[in-house]
Amino acid sequence: PGPPRRRGQDRKAPRERAKNRGSLRMPQKRRDRRSERHRDGEPQPSRRQRDHERHARRILLEWSGAVSQGMLPNRFPDRESPEFNSVDASLWFVIAVHDLFERSALSAVDRATLERAVEAILSGYAAGTRFGIKLDEDGLLACGVPGQQLTWMDARVGDHVITPRIGKPVEIQALWLNVLFMAGARSPRWAGLFARGRDSFAARFWNEDSGSLHDVVDVDHRPGVIDSTFRPNQIFALGGLPVMLV
């Protein structure tokens, strides 16, 4: 039966005391974590965010070694040479590298490796590379040859291209100009080219009649020929990238 209880004694007191003893430790841990998250007045990245950044760094460093003539491969067939028939893959790579630079503290070696890859892409595109990809005098990026699809609209049946977009597609200019803007922070060469291309884009792509953007200018590399088809490709010129062009 145990010792007699004194009148008014709470039967749950021992349990409550144990609970209270346990609770004294938890707030301290929470306070420690809060202090880590808000050290120096800046929110600290979560574990998940750090994991994502680590994976992104490894992927980008791995792909940086695949740059060839300014291009990244978009397909690795089994037992065959890589395929490079994509004009936007290299541009998205540069944007991803810029994003990583903004979010993560990289070692000097890793940063230099990624910067070399970015410079190789920009220089390769500016000088001219596969499939008619080259910088034009107006600061915009021309691309395309018959029988090849270089943008995301790459459907093809045999040798028949479903949606030909040879020339200067609108979303490629949005990516190209954003890449030049990012690179211009490190080199006046790219900053000047960005300014020229941005002015050309504003003058050449706006379709006053429809209140939208042309899909392709200089179609088939013929100066002044325009494809005004209304397509969702123009969305990247309107938002979603650091520089809005409209």
Side-chain angles (χ1 to χ4, degrees), residues 98-210:
H98 173 78
D99 217 19
L100 184 65
F101 284 175
E102 291 287 306
R103 295 171 179 269
S104 300
L106 303 179
S107 70
V109 173
D110 288 351
R111 191 177 188 92
T113 299
L114 293 174
E115 286 179 343
R116 282 194 300 270
V118 168
E119 189 65 25
I121 291 169
L122 287 164
S123 297
Y125 273 36
T129 184
R130 302 174 179 89
F131 307 123
I133 299 172
K134 64 177 181 178
L135 170 67
D136 208 349
E137 295 179 354
D138 57 4
L140 301 177
L141 191 70
C143 62
V145 293
Q148 291 289 339
Q149 287 290 71
L150 302 181
T151 72
W152 74 275
M153 301 183 73
D154 58 357
R156 187 176 64 184
V157 179
D159 293 331
H160 176 61
V161 173
I162 304 302
T163 311
R165 300 182 75 220
I166 297 173
K168 297 170 182 172
V170 62
E171 81 279 11
I172 302 304
Q173 309 316 310
L175 292 169
W176 171 244
L177 292 173
N178 269 271
V179 164
L180 290 177
F181 173 79
M182 295 167 185
R186 300 191 307 273
S187 170
R189 172 192 179 189
W190 305 122
L193 193 54
F194 164 74
R196 191 200 323 167
R198 180 186 55 190
D199 292 344
S200 296
F201 185 93
R204 306 199 59 201
F205 271 89
W206 182 250
N207 184 347
E208 190 66 39
D209 293 337
S210 64

Side-chain angles (χ1 to χ4, degrees), residues 10-103:
D10 187 354
R11 296 183 181 182
K12 298 182 180 180
R15 185 181 303 173
E16 293 296 332
R17 286 195 295 271
K19 189 183 298 183
N20 291 337
R21 284 197 300 270
S23 66
L24 291 176
R25 293 190 294 270
M26 296 303 294
Q28 183 61 44
K29 291 184 179 179
R30 286 195 290 268
R31 282 196 296 272
D32 291 344
R33 287 195 290 268
R34 284 197 298 269
S35 64
E36 289 175 2
R37 287 197 296 267
H38 297 278
R39 187 175 295 132
D40 299 326
E42 292 292 333
Q44 299 300 306
S46 66
R47 180 177 179 179
R48 177 177 295 181
Q49 183 178 344
R50 290 194 299 269
D51 287 344
H52 289 172
E53 291 173 1
R54 184 174 66 255
H55 294 324
R57 181 173 67 251
R58 291 174 57 187
I59 291 169
L60 293 174
L61 286 170
E62 183 71 22
W63 277 86
S64 68
V67 177
S68 169
Q69 301 179 43
M71 300 184 71
L72 282 174
N74 64 310
R75 185 167 177 263
F76 290 90
D78 293 338
R79 302 179 182 179
E80 296 179 24
S81 300
E83 296 181 0
F84 289 86
N85 56 326
S86 172
V87 63
D88 56 358
S90 301
L91 302 177
W92 281 117
F93 174 87
V94 176
I95 291 171
V97 168
H98 173 78
D99 217 19
L100 184 65
F101 284 175
E102 291 287 306
R103 295 171 179 269

